[in-house]
């Protein structure tokens, strides 16, 4: 049994309610956005990427299912262009905290590889926040390689 099944409209609505504040918090934590407008920017970003919701063309939203049939998370990817090839670009994968570190994300990525191949896509891309060491470790274990690294160092006002 595949660990991925298409997300329902009800699951999509619940996911949207969760992803907007989660993404806003990640962007604030990474230093990219200020807290006062992060929620609005996050909502605008999601609406721009999924203007037709779950029916937005070339976007694939799945619920991640454990072997016992429980829903443990979600995965969203879109078919995108990268250097003349069509790839699966992972916008979000989330495992419910109660089910983390049990192999569900790895199983979901293995199923994603099969789904991307079925769709004729040539690779998988994603973004990971630098502070998310657990996700970075998982992606490296799965064979992902860094293709672009952005770094930042804040300046200390006391340092001349």
């Amino acid at each position: 049994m595949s660990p991925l099944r298409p997300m329902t409209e009800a699951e999509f609505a619940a996911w949207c309610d969760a992803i907007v504040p989660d993404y806003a918090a990640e962007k604030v934590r990474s230093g990219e956005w200020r807290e006062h407008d992060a929620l609005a920017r996050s909502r605008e970003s999601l609406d721009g990427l999924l203007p037709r919701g779950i029916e937005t063309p070339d976007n694939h939203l799945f619920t991640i299912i454990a072997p016992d049939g429980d829903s443990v998370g979600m995965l969203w990817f879109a078919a995108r262009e990268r250097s003349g090839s069509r790839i699966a670009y992972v916008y979000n994968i989330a495992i419910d905290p109660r089910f983390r570190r049990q192999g569900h994300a790895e199983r979901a990525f293995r199923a994603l590889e099969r789904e991307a191949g079925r769709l004729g896509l040539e690779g998988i891309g994603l973004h990971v926040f630098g502070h998310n060491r657990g996700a970075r470790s998982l992606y490296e274990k799965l064979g992902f390689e860094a293709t672009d690294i952005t770094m930042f160092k804040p300046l200390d006002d006391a340092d001349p």
Side-chain angles (χ1 to χ4, degrees):
M1 176 173 102
S2 174
L4 301 179
R5 77 157 163 72
M7 190 180 283
T8 67
E9 285 288 345
E11 290 168 331
F12 178 74
W15 171 74
C16 286
D17 288 344
I19 191 66
V20 168
D22 288 352
Y23 186 62
E26 289 292 329
K27 293 295 265 185
V28 169
R29 183 173 178 194
S30 73
E32 301 240 356
W33 293 349
R34 297 207 180 261
E35 194 167 352
H36 75 276
D37 65 347
L39 278 174
R41 290 178 76 172
S42 181
R43 170 52 65 189
E44 182 180 309
S45 178
L46 184 63
D47 290 347
L49 291 168
L50 294 170
R52 292 179 45 199
I54 203 167
E55 298 298 326
T56 302
D58 290 328
N59 283 265
H60 306 270
L61 294 111
F62 293 96
T63 297
I64 301 170
I65 304 298
D68 65 6
D70 286 341
S71 170
V72 296
M74 67 75 51
L75 171 71
W76 166 30
F77 77 90
R80 286 187 28 187
E81 180 91 13
R82 180 179 189 267
S83 298
S85 297
R86 288 189 36 89
I87 66 160
Y89 185 84
V90 177
Y91 278 100
N92 186 242
I93 181 166
I95 304 295
D96 183 305
R98 298 171 296 157
F99 301 105
R100 290 184 183 157
R101 307 261 182 253
Q102 297 176 26
H104 299 299
E106 185 173 347
R107 286 178 39 257
F109 269 98
R110 300 286 183 216
L112 168 58
E113 290 176 16
R114 292 187 297 276
E115 181 67 11
R118 186 186 71 74
L119 293 170
L121 304 175
E122 298 180 42
I124 301 170
L126 54 80
H127 167 269
V128 61
F129 287 103
H131 60 262
N132 193 340
R133 295 185 192 282
R136 288 172 43 203
S137 177
L138 171 65
Y139 302 149
E140 288 169 0
K141 175 182 171 185
L142 292 171
F144 286 84
E145 297 177 1
T147 58
D148 182 58
I149 298 173
T150 301
M151 300 176 83
F152 177 78
K153 178 184 177 183
L155 298 177
D156 185 357
D157 290 339
D159 222 5

